[in-house]
Amino acid sequence: MTNEELSLCHLYVRIPSANDFPSLNLAQSVMVICYELFNASDAVTGPPSRVAPAGDLERMFEHMEKTLMDVGFLNPKQPKSMMRSLRNLFKRIPMDEREVRILQGIWSQVDWHTRRKEKK
């Protein structure tokens, strides 16, 4: 584009290119920009999910600790050490509200199954 054409632009976009071929034609540039916009859109990633609130995570961790204690997974004398590791594991990727509800459902199902076995 000429300097005069560039002066009419309100927004500039730089597309990195190889030193041997430092410019793209307009059709190539439009294609690259459209591709990047499509990849950034909800069509590819799906609608953005809400990260679960800290309170929901805390309740899930408390429920997990109680359940793991009930089934004998945690050492009753030192449950916090293993729980710290489990918290770190689950916090590596921020969970959304749906994922926290799924985990709560798993703990509830384990609780139900454990109580059912105790009654027999």
Side-chain angles (χ1 to χ4, degrees):
M1 295 179 79
T2 68
N3 287 338
E4 186 178 320
E5 291 168 328
L6 287 173
S7 71
L8 298 173
C9 295
H10 295 269
L11 182 65
Y12 296 95
V13 175
R14 183 180 179 284
I15 301 172
S17 59
N19 290 336
D20 294 341
F21 303 100
S23 64
L24 301 171
N25 70 35
L26 184 58
Q28 292 169 323
S29 301
V30 169
M31 179 197 63
V32 169
I33 296 301
C34 288
Y35 172 78
E36 290 296 331
L37 290 171
F38 176 75
N39 275 339
S41 73
D42 288 350
V44 173
T45 61
S49 59
R50 277 188 50 193
V51 175
D56 290 356
L57 280 173
E58 260 329 290
R59 283 186 289 282
M60 189 273 300
F61 286 132
E62 289 168 6
H63 191 173
M64 178 172 65
E65 182 174 356
K66 180 194 172 305
T67 300
L68 294 177
M69 189 73 80
D70 290 348
V71 299
F73 180 79
L74 295 177
N75 179 349
K77 295 178 183 172
Q78 292 182 326
K80 298 299 179 198
S81 175
M82 177 61 74
M83 281 306 298
R84 192 174 313 108
S85 295
L86 290 170
R87 282 172 175 267
N88 290 338
L89 173 74
F90 281 104
K91 287 182 175 180
R92 283 192 192 137
I93 298 175
M95 290 186 279
D96 64 28
E97 293 171 321
R98 181 176 180 271
E99 293 163 334
V100 171
R101 284 193 312 270
I102 289 170
L103 289 170
Q104 284 280 42
I106 291 170
W107 310 138
S108 293
Q109 188 67 24
V110 170
D111 292 343
W112 175 82
H113 188 72
T114 303
R115 284 191 308 272
R116 196 172 128 222
K117 284 212 170 230
E118 289 172 355
K119 288 181 182 178
K120 287 185 178 184

